[in-house]
Amino acid sequence: MNPRREFTHMRRVPFTCTLDCGSRCELIACVEDGRLMRIDTPPDRQDTPRFPRLIPCVRGRAHRRAQNAPDRVLQPLRRTGPRGSSAFCPISWDDALDEIAERLLRAREQQGPISILHATGAGSISGRGLSGADASRRFFSHWASVTEIAGNMSVHCVAMAQQWMLGSHLPGSDRATLLDSRLILLWGMNPAENHMGPNTAHFIAEARDRGARVVLLDPRYTDSGMLADEWVPLRPGTDAALAAAMAHVMIAEGLADTAFLERCTDGSEAYRRYLMGLDDDIPKTPAWAEPITGVDAEMIRRLARAYATERPAALLAGWGPQRTRYGEQSARALMALACVSGNVGLRGGGLGGYGTRGSGSEIALGSLPMGPYAPGRRLPPGSWAPAILEGQLHPAPALLYIVASNLVNRSPNSLANVAALAQVPFVVVHEPFMTPTARHADLVLPINTDLERSDLVTSWGHDSHLFYSQQAVASRGESRTDYWVFARLAERLGIGEKYTQGRSEQEWLDALLAESPMTLDDLARDGIVRCDPPPRVALEAFRRDPDAHPLSTRSGRIELRNHQAAAYGLPDIPAFVDTGNEPAGYPLQLVTPHHKLRSNSCLDANPWLHRLEPHTAWINSADAAAREIADGDTVIVEAPGGNIQIRAHVTPRIMPGVVSVAQGAWLALDAAGDDGGGCANTLTEHTLTPTGGPTTHTAWVQVRRLSDG
Ligand code: SF4
């Protein structure tokens, strides 16, 4: 092959993937004669320690393989066999859209609009701009007040805890401030795989090069262990106990920042009384915490002294600890610990959070405007299935319309989700791939991938970066954009003009930029605009002068004591609440983390990613030996609600007593009802936290060997 000829003839088209991965990167599609030849990154970008370029991960480069994945849906499909049987026949777009319009009208007239359920979120391709959730919300908002299945599965408990303690949900300090940290605690956070804001891992690595110490607290030695000096294995769901014991050490040894507690917090005396055991005669000492957390008491003392004295110290909390049975307490306890250490509001310190900008700051990007119909009812994404199965919905669902959401896979208790879908008379799914959710639909509509559509995309969690992701290749098969589908459905329902306002998709992109000084042409040149402002330190002004910059809590201070929590049956302080003992026969704790080769329930259709790293269950060497399981053996992981078959990865990288099955592999039920796909949510339950958050890191399993590998 002549590389010069290849270079000369290639078109280089900027695009970005819209995966809900914790970051957002620049990618270039290299296209020759309409064929996608490879995926590249832009050359010559500024790249300094303080202003790093946006570096894509393997998932972004794997988009080329996904284009031709065997599970790609290429035509509208109508179900011809039982739900889940994968028996479908192709139909025309006109027939599919006519049938959906007729079903929607019938459901609205006969059972009322709230009998129509509309689900979005965290799907096989996440939606942004004109695609996914915004396109479908706009459609329903112009047509009727339907029931919406939507909500925050990711940060429910931390948002609740911040609302109570800080008066609002704060994004945290910008990651570049980590360059000033002397100590970084990665508490259940895995930025090497999940990013948690663009370039988080870069800033941690850079801080370490400048002398910062990094400690990873996690049941697993994740890939973020590469960034750390030390790994402290911590039992899932016990974060509040470890935080309490560390705070106890700080108070007992005179290391607590009492000046900060007095000036900037409210309720610290109640928390101190809890820590010192003044009301229950149980001082929350390291010796008390050791059997709960699995962390050696001396290690707890060491951690506490370091966090209090090696200032500024950043406590970067992941979202796993708050997806536990009492996740509110984990989130509150980590914030309380940061307060006791006095690291709040310091450059290089901090209080967790996204580490990125909130919305509405740097770049004025509009969003598709909504119509007059607000949802008539809302169902949390963690509990829609029990609401159907237990007959809680009146009227009963007549139709479920799912857009950019692999609902069966992403929600806890996948087997119950399948059963719930079976109770809905008509299910429509928009999908590029034949996901487990699509397999249980009546109609599957083929949707474009990121490479086949143009859209405006903001960065994950903030809007200081704006991407113009441009269509690089023609649509495969008969796939279309979500917008295209809803525009035609709107026509059939007599709201076509309201939905499109006479605009093409390209004209909508121009309209979304109307408030901005930029035009699409400006954006098209580079594919991205970055407006990175100077790094911001969360709560810096508040720390300096809490009277002049009060929080929107009742006291204006950080409230360590919250009466709102008591209304949910929780302690009014960030006390540890025990999850309770394991159910008989299920001795191992299960965690279901995100994985570097998946993004929520996306990407399982890409065989290339499977080859890079097969889907496995992590089990500690001692637990495996006790069960005569060797690395690579096929095992069955059993939970009270379902079983999966999966290869075992026997490793010291997970603490004894804990098993890890990464989220994102797709449900694949065999005749016996076992899930050979290894979907993590086959093992989780619908149980919610006291305020309604998901509890996907509180589950118990047994592991048995099925065969030699
Ligand atoms: S998955 Fe996320 S980190 Fe990876 S390339 Fe896409 S946007 Fe970037």
Side-chain angles (χ1 to χ4, degrees):
M1 180 189 288
N2 177 347
R4 182 172 295 279
R5 187 204 67 78
E6 185 187 340
F7 181 78
T8 314
H9 288 262
M10 256 182 206
R11 262 189 332 122
R12 295 172 60 82
V13 186
F15 82 104
T16 186
C17 59
T18 58
L19 294 168
D20 186 13
C21 67
S23 189
R24 191 72 66 228
C25 311
E26 292 187 83
L27 295 155
I28 300 285
C30 300
V31 181
E32 188 176 60
D33 296 332
R35 282 174 49 220
L36 179 63
M37 305 304 287
R38 68 166 192 265
I39 289 178
D40 205 346
T41 54
D44 306 327
R45 290 290 193 236
Q46 183 178 349
D47 190 21
T48 66
R50 287 195 179 273
F51 193 90
R53 68 194 178 99
L54 301 167
I55 305 165
C57 74
V58 67
R59 289 170 291 193
R61 292 177 183 271
H63 279 281
R64 184 167 77 88
R65 309 285 177 147
Q67 278 297 104
N68 299 320
D71 278 334
R72 191 75 202 274
V73 181
L74 297 173
Q75 294 163 285
L77 299 174
R78 181 190 281 130
R79 181 168 64 85
T80 55
R83 288 248 169 100
S85 66
S86 299
F88 289 94
C89 69
I91 58 170
S92 70
W93 269 110
D94 277 339
D95 285 351
L97 293 168
D98 287 346
E99 183 170 356
I100 295 168
E102 191 269 320
R103 290 276 194 163
L104 283 169
L105 281 171
R106 199 188 327 156
R108 187 177 72 171
E109 279 157 23
Q110 293 182 353
Q111 283 122 304
I114 60 168
S115 70
I116 297 164
L117 275 50
H118 167 222
T120 59
S124 57
I125 296 287
S126 268
R128 290 290 191 282
L130 288 186
S131 310
D134 277 5
S136 59
R137 281 203 196 107
R138 175 170 167 78
F139 168 79
F140 284 110
S141 74
H142 276 290
W143 187 65
S145 292
V146 300
T147 296
E148 189 153 302
I149 301 173
N152 201 324
M153 289 275 287
S154 299
V155 291
H156 173 93
C157 285
V158 78
M160 190 62 80
Q162 289 198 346
Q163 192 66 42
W164 293 342
M165 296 177 74
L166 308 176
S168 61
H169 187 32
L170 293 184
S173 299
D174 286 350
R175 295 296 189 226
T177 63
L178 293 171
L179 297 181
D180 295 300
S181 302
R182 287 185 61 212
L183 175 73
I184 298 171
L185 301 181
L186 290 177
W187 196 308
M189 191 201 242
N190 183 9
E193 297 185 61
N194 304 327
H195 306 287
M196 300 293 282
N199 284 314
T200 301
H202 156 84
F203 285 117
I204 293 168
E206 189 65 28
R208 194 161 167 243
D209 284 350
R210 294 171 184 217
R213 260 186 350 107
V214 182
V215 181
L216 173 69
L217 299 109
D218 200 296
R220 300 179 307 140
Y221 182 86
T222 60
D223 283 5
S224 293
M226 290 182 295
L227 302 167
D229 297 276
E230 202 168 1
W231 171 40
V232 179
L234 171 61
R235 196 165 285 148
T238 65
D239 310 85
L242 179 58
M246 287 171 65
H248 181 281
V249 172
M250 291 178 195
I251 290 173
E253 298 187 4
L255 301 173
D257 191 334
T258 49
F260 178 83
L261 289 170
E262 280 165 22
R263 285 177 68 241
C264 297
T265 70
D266 184 71
S268 64
E269 178 55 20
Y271 190 46
R272 192 188 69 84
R273 292 186 68 81
Y274 162 74
L275 296 174
M276 308 319 279
L278 299 182
D279 298 321
D280 61 1
D281 285 334
I282 305 174
K284 309 307 176 297
T285 61
W288 164 81
E290 181 176 312
I292 298 171
T293 61
V295 183
D296 176 76
E298 191 45 41
M299 170 63 79
I300 296 174
R301 283 185 203 97
R302 233 169 22 87
L303 278 172
R305 290 168 191 149
Y307 186 36
T309 60
E310 293 176 28
R311 297 207 323 187
L315 194 168
L316 299 184
W319 293 347
Q322 51 96 55
R323 284 192 210 123
T324 49
R325 181 73 185 85
Y326 298 102
E328 297 89 352
Q329 296 305 94
S330 297
R332 295 171 77 195
L334 296 190
M335 286 191 280
L337 177 62
C339 290
V340 176
S341 79
N343 277 292
V344 177
L346 295 181
R347 176 172 293 266
L351 193 67
Y354 302 126
T356 57
R357 298 274 157 167
S359 58
S361 55
E362 309 308 324
I363 300 171
L365 176 67
S367 51
L368 275 182
M370 295 296 141
Y373 295 101
R377 177 170 63 184
R378 291 180 202 272
L379 291 177
S383 58
W384 62 274
I388 294 174
L389 292 170
E390 293 163 16
Q392 298 168 11
L393 302 182
H394 305 287
L399 190 153
L400 174 53
Y401 203 122
I402 304 171
V403 177
S405 183
N406 189 350
L407 198 61
V408 160
N409 234 78
R410 71 171 287 222
S411 313
N413 200 339
S414 291
L415 300 186
N417 301 338
V418 167
L421 244 56
Q423 291 201 9
V424 182
F426 193 68
V427 178
V428 183
V429 167
H430 283 213
E431 262 299 342
F433 305 105
M434 186 55 78
T435 64
T437 307
R439 279 203 300 272
H440 288 83
D442 295 278
L443 276 180
V444 184
L445 305 183
I447 297 300
N448 290 140
T449 64
D450 288 326
L451 285 156
E452 297 166 347
R453 65 186 179 204
S454 293
D455 213 339
L456 289 167
V457 183
T458 54
S459 195
W460 185 93
H462 69 146
D463 59 1
S464 302
H465 304 163
L466 176 62
F467 301 82
Y468 180 23
S469 185
Q470 295 165 54
Q471 181 176 0
V473 293
S475 300
R476 277 203 70 206
E478 296 178 29
S479 61
R480 298 288 182 269
T481 63
D482 294 306
Y483 181 88
W484 184 95
V485 177
F486 283 114
R488 274 136 198 88
L489 208 45
E491 259 173 42
R492 283 165 169 76
L493 295 171
I495 54 168
E497 180 59 28
K498 283 184 182 153
Y499 187 76
T500 64
Q501 294 182 14
R503 288 179 175 137
S504 67
E505 292 182 45
Q506 206 64 18
E507 287 165 342
W508 267 114
L509 297 182
D510 272 322
L512 296 182
L513 282 174
E515 302 295 310
S516 158
M518 283 167 294
T519 65
L520 269 190
D521 286 342
D522 297 333
L523 273 169
R525 270 193 296 278
D526 248 7
I528 185 173
V529 172
R530 289 183 66 168
C531 299
D532 299 67
R536 176 190 43 100
V537 178
L539 300 176
E540 189 174 36
F542 165 76
R543 180 190 180 100
R544 201 170 46 242
D545 189 344
D547 289 327
H549 302 279
L551 302 180
S552 47
T553 54
R554 201 173 32 116
S555 62
R557 303 296 196 263
I558 299 173
E559 300 203 337
L560 301 186
R561 183 175 198 180
N562 307 102
H563 296 293
Q564 306 98 311
Y568 291 95
L570 288 165
D572 62 0
I573 50 167
F576 168 66
V577 180
D578 198 349
T579 305
N581 293 329
E582 69 274 16
Y586 302 96
L588 300 168
Q589 274 187 282
L590 175 75
V591 290
T592 58
H594 289 221
H595 188 267
K596 63 189 169 213
L597 298 183
R598 308 275 180 273
S599 177
N600 293 302
S601 52
C602 310
L603 302 180
D604 203 48
N606 190 330
W608 193 52
L609 293 177
H610 279 280
R611 285 207 296 277
L612 280 181
E613 188 175 311
H615 183 51
T616 58
W618 284 24
I619 183 167
N620 180 269
S621 317
D623 292 324
R627 291 163 176 79
E628 299 182 338
I629 293 169
D631 191 45
D633 279 354
T634 300
V635 295
I636 183 157
V637 183
E638 302 169 330
N643 301 333
I644 65 169
Q645 286 181 27
I646 190 170
R647 290 291 173 102
H649 177 46
V650 178
T651 173
R653 287 180 59 178
I654 188 163
M655 69 187 295
V658 183
V659 168
S660 169
V661 177
Q663 204 202 61
W666 287 353
L667 180 78
L669 293 177
D670 64 18
D674 286 343
D675 170 14
C679 169
N681 277 323
T682 300
L683 305 169
T684 60
E685 295 183 2
H686 282 128
T687 311
L688 300 176
T689 69
T691 62
T695 62
T696 47
H697 287 289
T698 299
W700 297 90
V701 295
Q702 178 58 290
V703 182
R704 285 191 294 110
R705 183 165 64 99
L706 267 188
S707 68
D708 293 331

